[in-house]
Amino acid sequence: MKLNLWLIANQLSQYDIETRISAATERTISGPLPVAAAGSVYVRNEGADVICHAEQGTIVIHDMEEKEGFLLIQSIFNWYDSWQENIEEALRAADYRLFVHLCAQAFSNPVLLQDSNYLLLGMDCRGISIGNIPEWRYIYEKEQSSVTYYLAMSDALKNPVRKYNDCVYRFNTSAKDEEGNEYQTSGLHVKFRYLARDYGQITVLDKKRPLNPGDVALLNLLTEKCSLIFAAAERGDDSGVNKQIMNDLLEYKEVPKEQMDYHYSIIIRKSPDSDNRLCLFLFHFDSAKERTAGLELLKNILTKQYPAIYNWIYREDLLVIAYVPEPNILVRQMYSWIGSQGYLKKLRVGVSLPFDEISNLPYYYEQAIFAINHIDSPGLCFFYDCACEYLMENMDRQRKLLACEPICLKMWTEEPDKREFLRTLSVYLGLERATGLAADYLSIHRNTINYRIKYVKEQAGWDYEDPSLRNYLRLSIYYLTRWGEL
């Protein structure tokens, strides 16, 4: 492995040395020699000291014999050769813990490895107290950067103190800890890319020793290794779901039935459960700034915390499809958990009605958007709570039918023999739950009315004391009776 004098000096920090090195970061030195030659470091005695000289400058090691100095410099080259091999093995094995440990050895400073969305891959704090760096403590505990850290780094990297080799940045940031005390962090940051795509990033802090051009050269080397190995190891979306197909569905484009069936089987984990239903959650940031910072971060933390869901970014929102028996319980849990991570500010979550056919996805996407727009404040926005307004405003037959009360719709479509029960319920509710009047209107015995009302109530768990639910049921049964089939 070729080095520069800074890299050699960094491994001599425990010795009494003096450096006179230029700011050049190119790695051009291939080894030590007892004579001056291009591409090497000339090791010789000068009085009681060892002089290590190259075109980039000079390192003086005080109080050392020439032979000992020569072997020492040679051992540094051997160490870097072995280090590079171990780095490559760790990357290929995706052993990020070992990777950052090796990096911390070379930099003698804290090292943080994250993916392109600031999800923690590995961290080595190299003998410092992580409590002194609140954001790094947060990353360590949550395995994910906060929006605050993301914004701070974005601002710092827009105007770096100095930019090295078009990819390595020196940054300085200031922030406040939990007690309101301001603290500074500085260091080097690099993103590794391949074919114009980001795969991850490394951050090294100035803590135990000042970072120098040798560290920049090392980060450039790591960027090359990481970019190629990460790109080669990529396997695409492990879920098997094609995002373009999902987007085509959302935009009412024609998608072959076999593709829809395949995607449905993937989303429900290939084993349909009669108690489970699909539901769409739409996560929307009101603030454009937080939307830019938060979408990918939120996607990562939800993927990590809820691996059974499928999520993707569409336009400027995060969409989540869940396949569970109680979607509303799940979304409340998710929202509460997100709140514990500090992501609730100006975040609204639109929740569609549950559904079974993935071909109807665009209609339920519209429901989630309607719910978002119906409620002005951040929080959970259930379409169920505003479905009556949607039914009254919308003239489209399919949209109306799919917006009907979900249990009512399911009963109508799957139990045709119970449709008369629902019609009876509609009359009963329309007559202010007067059993006698309903029996007269329908010309049936009041015991029949009571049986039908009790049956659908037990099946659905409806609370007839809720006036908004009564309105929703009457509207739903009206449109189901009017149009009959989906």
Side-chain angles (χ1 to χ4, degrees):
M1 173 178 169
K2 290 188 176 183
L3 308 178
N4 61 18
L5 278 185
W6 283 108
L7 286 169
I8 296 171
N10 288 344
Q11 294 300 312
L12 294 171
S13 57
Q14 61 183 321
Y15 295 90
D16 181 12
I17 66 171
E18 177 185 344
T19 59
R20 298 187 291 272
I21 310 173
S22 70
T25 61
E26 291 80 7
R27 295 181 296 110
T28 59
I29 303 171
S30 56
L33 287 176
V35 295
S40 65
V41 56
Y42 176 25
V43 180
R44 70 180 192 280
N45 259 130
E46 190 173 285
D49 302 329
V50 168
I51 307 298
C52 307
H53 181 75
E55 295 175 353
Q56 299 168 356
T58 300
I59 302 173
V60 179
I61 310 175
H62 296 294
D63 300 319
M64 182 175 286
E65 295 291 333
E66 179 179 331
K67 182 178 180 181
E68 182 184 356
F70 186 88
L71 292 174
L72 177 60
I73 301 302
Q74 182 61 60
S75 72
I76 290 174
F77 278 88
N78 295 340
W79 184 89
Y80 275 113
D81 286 339
S82 176
W83 177 85
Q84 181 175 238
E85 291 176 3
N86 291 334
I87 281 287
E88 292 176 353
E89 289 180 8
L91 283 173
R92 290 194 177 94
D95 189 343
Y96 302 127
R97 183 176 180 181
L98 174 59
F99 174 80
V100 295
H101 176 69
L102 292 168
C103 290
Q105 284 182 345
F107 293 110
S108 299
N109 269 305
V111 177
L112 176 63
L113 174 68
Q114 297 173 292
D115 72 2
S116 59
N117 297 318
Y118 288 84
L119 181 69
L120 178 66
L121 297 178
M123 176 187 288
D124 191 310
C125 291
R126 192 62 12 190
I128 69 164
S129 173
I130 199 170
N132 296 329
I133 317 172
E135 284 299 337
W136 277 42
R137 184 178 70 240
Y138 181 98
I139 293 169
Y140 178 77
E141 293 172 351
K142 310 295 185 183
E143 298 188 3
Q144 171 72 53
S145 290
S146 68
V147 173
T148 302
Y149 178 86
Y150 177 94
L151 293 174
M153 287 300 296
S154 297
D155 289 341
L157 297 177
K158 286 177 184 175
N159 300 293
V161 175
R162 183 177 176 186
K163 183 178 177 181
Y164 299 90
N165 293 29
D166 296 326
C167 62
V168 182
Y169 290 81
R170 170 165 280 283
F171 66 89
N172 285 308
T173 66
S174 62
K176 291 184 178 180
D177 60 22
E178 295 167 354
E179 288 75 37
N181 302 314
E182 190 167 292
Y183 66 94
Q184 299 281 335
T185 55
S186 63
L188 297 174
H189 182 88
V190 64
K191 290 186 177 182
F192 33 96
R193 316 190 78 200
Y194 184 73
L195 297 179
R197 176 174 175 181
D198 289 341
Y199 284 89
Q201 50 207 317
I202 299 173
T203 306
V204 186
L205 293 185
D206 284 301
K207 282 295 178 182
K208 302 202 71 172
R209 69 163 176 80
L211 297 171
N212 57 47
D215 300 302
V216 174
L218 209 55
L219 278 173
N220 279 325
L221 172 67
L222 289 172
T223 301
E224 297 170 6
K225 303 292 182 187
C226 291
S227 299
L228 294 174
I229 292 174
F230 269 61
E234 186 186 41
R235 296 290 183 269
D237 190 342
D238 291 337
S239 71
V241 176
N242 185 314
K243 295 174 186 175
Q244 187 56 52
I245 296 295
M246 302 302 287
N247 291 346
D248 286 347
L249 277 171
L250 291 175
E251 295 165 6
Y252 296 97
K253 294 181 180 177
E254 186 175 346
V255 175
K257 184 178 183 302
E258 60 271 15
Q259 290 189 351
M260 283 194 291
D261 291 343
Y262 168 75
H263 282 69
Y264 176 73
S265 71
I266 293 293
I267 291 170
I268 68 172
R269 304 296 172 182
K270 296 183 170 63
S271 55
D273 189 318
S274 59
D275 294 329
N276 287 10
R277 302 195 72 186
L278 296 169
C279 192
L280 183 70
F281 310 148
L282 186 151
F283 291 81
H284 175 81
F285 285 96
D286 288 339
S287 164
K289 183 178 182 181
E290 291 190 9
R291 189 180 310 133
T292 302
L295 277 178
E296 288 290 353
L297 297 177
L298 186 58
K299 181 180 187 299
N300 262 350
I301 65 174
L302 288 180
T303 301
K304 177 178 175 56
Q305 187 70 12
Y306 299 93
I309 66 172
Y310 173 66
N311 65 77
W312 78 106
I313 292 174
Y314 177 68
R315 295 179 179 171
E316 294 186 320
D317 296 311
L318 176 64
L319 303 186
V320 171
I321 291 184
Y323 181 67
V324 290
E326 297 290 344
N328 288 357
I329 293 177
L330 173 63
V331 76
R332 291 183 194 278
Q333 291 174 347
M334 293 173 71
Y335 191 74
S336 175
W337 186 83
I338 292 167
S340 70
Q341 311 301 303
Y343 284 82
L344 289 190
K345 189 177 181 182
K346 297 183 180 178
L347 175 66
R348 286 186 282 171
V349 185
V351 183
S352 78
L353 297 178
F355 59 100
D356 299 306
E357 296 291 335
I358 195 171
S359 59
N360 290 324
L361 180 65
Y363 298 101
Y364 292 97
Y365 170 66
E366 289 184 7
Q367 290 180 9
I369 292 177
F370 187 87
I372 288 282
N373 294 332
H374 189 261
I375 299 176
D376 295 330
S377 59
L380 292 172
C381 312
F382 293 96
F383 177 77
Y384 198 102
D385 296 333
C386 56
C388 287
E389 290 88 336
Y390 183 87
L391 285 168
M392 297 298 291
E393 292 177 12
N394 212 307
M395 298 300 294
D396 181 77
R397 171 182 177 274
Q398 185 78 347
R399 286 177 172 83
K400 280 185 178 294
L401 290 175
L402 294 177
C404 289
E405 203 286 333
I407 300 177
C408 185
L409 174 61
K410 194 174 180 68
M411 190 179 297
W412 182 275
T413 55
E414 296 182 5
E415 300 181 68
D417 59 320
K418 298 299 185 294
R419 290 180 180 179
E420 198 59 41
F421 285 38
L422 293 175
R423 292 189 182 97
T424 300
L425 174 62
S426 179
V427 172
Y428 172 76
L429 295 177
L431 294 172
E432 299 298 331
R433 293 174 288 167
T435 305
L437 291 177
D440 291 341
Y441 182 86
L442 294 171
S443 300
I444 58 178
H445 197 278
R446 63 185 301 148
N447 287 344
T448 303
I449 297 287
N450 288 332
Y451 170 74
R452 292 177 178 178
I453 298 306
K454 182 181 178 182
Y455 176 87
V456 294
K457 182 177 182 179
E458 289 177 349
Q459 292 295 307
W462 290 321
D463 178 10
Y464 296 140
E465 298 300 321
D466 183 351
S468 62
L469 174 62
R470 295 200 300 269
N471 290 335
Y472 190 13
L473 288 172
R474 289 185 61 204
L475 277 173
S476 298
I477 297 169
Y478 169 77
Y479 288 117
L480 288 170
T481 304
R482 180 180 178 185
W483 280 310
E485 303 292 342
L486 289 173

